[in-house]
PDB file of all heavy atoms in Angstrom:
ATOM      1  N   LYS Q 703     -43.599   9.949 -17.780  1.00 95.00           N
ATOM      2  CA  LYS Q 703     -42.692   9.859 -18.944  1.00 95.00           C
ATOM      3  C   LYS Q 703     -41.748   8.642 -18.856  1.00 95.00           C
ATOM      4  O   LYS Q 703     -41.732   7.936 -17.843  1.00 95.00           O
ATOM      5  CB  LYS Q 703     -41.960  11.143 -19.252  1.00 95.00           C
ATOM      6  CG  LYS Q 703     -42.862  12.291 -19.629  1.00 95.00           C
ATOM      7  CD  LYS Q 703     -42.051  13.524 -19.941  1.00 95.00           C
ATOM      8  CE  LYS Q 703     -43.019  14.705 -20.342  1.00 95.00           C
ATOM      9  NZ  LYS Q 703     -42.299  15.939 -20.652  1.00 95.00           N
ATOM     10  N   ASP Q 704     -40.926   8.395 -19.807  1.00 86.00           N
ATOM     11  CA  ASP Q 704     -40.156   7.210 -19.870  1.00 86.00           C
ATOM     12  C   ASP Q 704     -39.149   7.091 -18.836  1.00 86.00           C
ATOM     13  O   ASP Q 704     -38.079   7.799 -18.913  1.00 86.00           O
ATOM     14  CB  ASP Q 704     -39.525   7.036 -21.264  1.00 86.00           C
ATOM     15  CG  ASP Q 704     -38.899   5.668 -21.467  1.00 86.00           C
ATOM     16  OD1 ASP Q 704     -39.291   4.769 -20.878  1.00 86.00           O
ATOM     17  OD2 ASP Q 704     -37.883   5.622 -22.323  1.00 86.00           O
ATOM     18  N   PHE Q 705     -39.363   6.306 -17.768  1.00 88.00           N
ATOM     19  CA  PHE Q 705     -38.279   6.038 -16.809  1.00 88.00           C
ATOM     20  C   PHE Q 705     -38.547   4.662 -16.139  1.00 88.00           C
ATOM     21  O   PHE Q 705     -39.700   4.110 -16.116  1.00 88.00           O
ATOM     22  CB  PHE Q 705     -38.111   7.151 -15.715  1.00 88.00           C
ATOM     23  CG  PHE Q 705     -39.342   7.284 -14.861  1.00 88.00           C
ATOM     24  CD1 PHE Q 705     -39.296   6.562 -13.630  1.00 88.00           C
ATOM     25  CD2 PHE Q 705     -40.345   8.184 -15.124  1.00 88.00           C
ATOM     26  CE1 PHE Q 705     -40.401   6.741 -12.702  1.00 88.00           C
ATOM     27  CE2 PHE Q 705     -41.439   8.323 -14.219  1.00 88.00           C
ATOM     28  CZ  PHE Q 705     -41.435   7.575 -13.072  1.00 88.00           C
ATOM     29  N   ASP Q 706     -37.550   4.112 -15.425  1.00 89.00           N
ATOM     30  CA  ASP Q 706     -37.735   2.908 -14.722  1.00 89.00           C
ATOM     31  C   ASP Q 706     -37.670   3.158 -13.223  1.00 89.00           C
ATOM     32  O   ASP Q 706     -36.892   3.970 -12.776  1.00 89.00           O
ATOM     33  CB  ASP Q 706     -36.619   1.850 -15.175  1.00 89.00           C
ATOM     34  CG  ASP Q 706     -36.727   1.439 -16.600  1.00 89.00           C
ATOM     35  OD1 ASP Q 706     -37.812   1.429 -17.090  1.00 89.00           O
ATOM     36  OD2 ASP Q 706     -35.691   0.918 -17.118  1.00 89.00           O
ATOM     37  N   LEU Q 707     -38.431   2.399 -12.524  1.00 87.00           N
ATOM     38  CA  LEU Q 707     -38.392   2.528 -10.962  1.00 87.00           C
ATOM     39  C   LEU Q 707     -37.574   1.262 -10.513  1.00 87.00           C
ATOM     40  O   LEU Q 707     -37.890   0.125 -10.758  1.00 87.00           O
ATOM     41  CB  LEU Q 707     -39.774   2.424 -10.451  1.00 87.00           C
ATOM     42  CG  LEU Q 707     -39.919   2.716  -8.994  1.00 87.00           C
ATOM     43  CD1 LEU Q 707     -39.581   4.221  -8.659  1.00 87.00           C
ATOM     44  CD2 LEU Q 707     -41.335   2.509  -8.537  1.00 87.00           C
ATOM     45  N   THR Q 708     -36.517   1.520  -9.732  1.00 82.00           N
ATOM     46  CA  THR Q 708     -35.682   0.552  -9.191  1.00 82.00           C
ATOM     47  C   THR Q 708     -35.871   0.340  -7.728  1.00 82.00           C
ATOM     48  O   THR Q 708     -35.873   1.342  -7.013  1.00 82.00           O
ATOM     49  CB  THR Q 708     -34.130   0.907  -9.445  1.00 82.00           C
ATOM     50  OG1 THR Q 708     -33.919   1.099 -10.873  1.00 82.00           O
ATOM     51  CG2 THR Q 708     -33.261  -0.197  -8.906  1.00 82.00           C
ATOM     52  N   ARG Q 709     -36.121  -0.825  -7.406  1.00 81.00           N
ATOM     53  CA  ARG Q 709     -36.420  -1.257  -5.954  1.00 81.00           C
ATOM     54  C   ARG Q 709     -35.426  -2.359  -5.545  1.00 81.00           C
ATOM     55  O   ARG Q 709     -35.124  -3.205  -6.413  1.00 81.00           O
ATOM     56  CB  ARG Q 709     -37.821  -1.663  -5.784  1.00 81.00           C
ATOM     57  CG  ARG Q 709     -38.854  -0.637  -5.892  1.00 81.00           C
ATOM     58  CD  ARG Q 709     -38.899   0.211  -4.566  1.00 81.00           C
ATOM     59  NE  ARG Q 709     -40.027   1.103  -4.547  1.00 81.00           N
ATOM     60  CZ  ARG Q 709     -40.010   2.352  -5.050  1.00 81.00           C
ATOM     61  NH1 ARG Q 709     -38.998   2.823  -5.563  1.00 81.00           N
ATOM     62  NH2 ARG Q 709     -41.088   3.085  -4.823  1.00 81.00           N
ATOM     63  N   MET Q 710     -35.003  -2.410  -4.304  1.00 77.00           N
ATOM     64  CA  MET Q 710     -34.278  -3.438  -3.780  1.00 77.00           C
ATOM     65  C   MET Q 710     -35.054  -4.530  -3.140  1.00 77.00           C
ATOM     66  O   MET Q 710     -35.912  -4.238  -2.285  1.00 77.00           O
ATOM     67  CB  MET Q 710     -33.144  -2.957  -2.784  1.00 77.00           C
ATOM     68  CG  MET Q 710     -32.414  -4.179  -2.129  1.00 77.00           C
ATOM     69  SD  MET Q 710     -31.180  -3.665  -0.960  1.00 77.00           S
ATOM     70  CE  MET Q 710     -29.844  -3.043  -2.069  1.00 77.00           C
ATOM     71  N   ASP Q 711     -35.020  -5.745  -3.611  1.00 75.00           N
ATOM     72  CA  ASP Q 711     -35.615  -6.917  -2.984  1.00 75.00           C
ATOM     73  C   ASP Q 711     -34.611  -7.318  -1.776  1.00 75.00           C
ATOM     74  O   ASP Q 711     -33.642  -7.919  -1.980  1.00 75.00           O
ATOM     75  CB  ASP Q 711     -35.850  -8.029  -3.917  1.00 75.00           C
ATOM     76  CG  ASP Q 711     -36.612  -9.186  -3.227  1.00 75.00           C
ATOM     77  OD1 ASP Q 711     -36.507  -9.377  -2.035  1.00 75.00           O
ATOM     78  OD2 ASP Q 711     -37.242  -9.946  -3.983  1.00 75.00           O
ATOM     79  N   PHE Q 712     -35.040  -6.882  -0.553  1.00 68.00           N
ATOM     80  CA  PHE Q 712     -34.144  -7.161   0.581  1.00 68.00           C
ATOM     81  C   PHE Q 712     -34.096  -8.644   1.004  1.00 68.00           C
ATOM     82  O   PHE Q 712     -33.355  -8.983   1.854  1.00 68.00           O
ATOM     83  CB  PHE Q 712     -34.384  -6.152   1.768  1.00 68.00           C
ATOM     84  CG  PHE Q 712     -35.864  -6.162   2.167  1.00 68.00           C
ATOM     85  CD1 PHE Q 712     -36.312  -7.177   3.020  1.00 68.00           C
ATOM     86  CD2 PHE Q 712     -36.744  -5.167   1.717  1.00 68.00           C
ATOM     87  CE1 PHE Q 712     -37.585  -7.145   3.425  1.00 68.00           C
ATOM     88  CE2 PHE Q 712     -38.056  -5.146   2.156  1.00 68.00           C
ATOM     89  CZ  PHE Q 712     -38.521  -6.165   3.012  1.00 68.00           C
ATOM     90  N   VAL Q 713     -34.831  -9.454   0.427  1.00 71.00           N
ATOM     91  CA  VAL Q 713     -34.774 -10.867   0.681  1.00 71.00           C
ATOM     92  C   VAL Q 713     -33.646 -11.475  -0.166  1.00 71.00           C
ATOM     93  O   VAL Q 713     -32.704 -12.192   0.364  1.00 71.00           O
ATOM     94  CB  VAL Q 713     -36.133 -11.631   0.450  1.00 71.00           C
ATOM     95  CG1 VAL Q 713     -35.874 -13.073   0.631  1.00 71.00           C
ATOM     96  CG2 VAL Q 713     -37.152 -11.093   1.336  1.00 71.00           C
ATOM     97  N   THR Q 714     -33.599 -11.093  -1.441  1.00 75.00           N
ATOM     98  CA  THR Q 714     -32.585 -11.713  -2.350  1.00 75.00           C
ATOM     99  C   THR Q 714     -31.427 -10.763  -2.511  1.00 75.00           C
ATOM    100  O   THR Q 714     -30.375 -11.180  -2.970  1.00 75.00           O
ATOM    101  CB  THR Q 714     -33.206 -11.969  -3.660  1.00 75.00           C
ATOM    102  OG1 THR Q 714     -33.618 -10.766  -4.306  1.00 75.00           O
ATOM    103  CG2 THR Q 714     -34.437 -12.913  -3.608  1.00 75.00           C
TER     104      THR Q 714
END
Side-chain angles (χ1 to χ4, degrees):
K703 294 186 179 179
D704 190 24
F705 69 89
D706 293 335
L707 189 67
T708 302
R709 291 283 192 266
M710 173 180 283
D711 186 333
F712 51 81
V713 176
T714 65

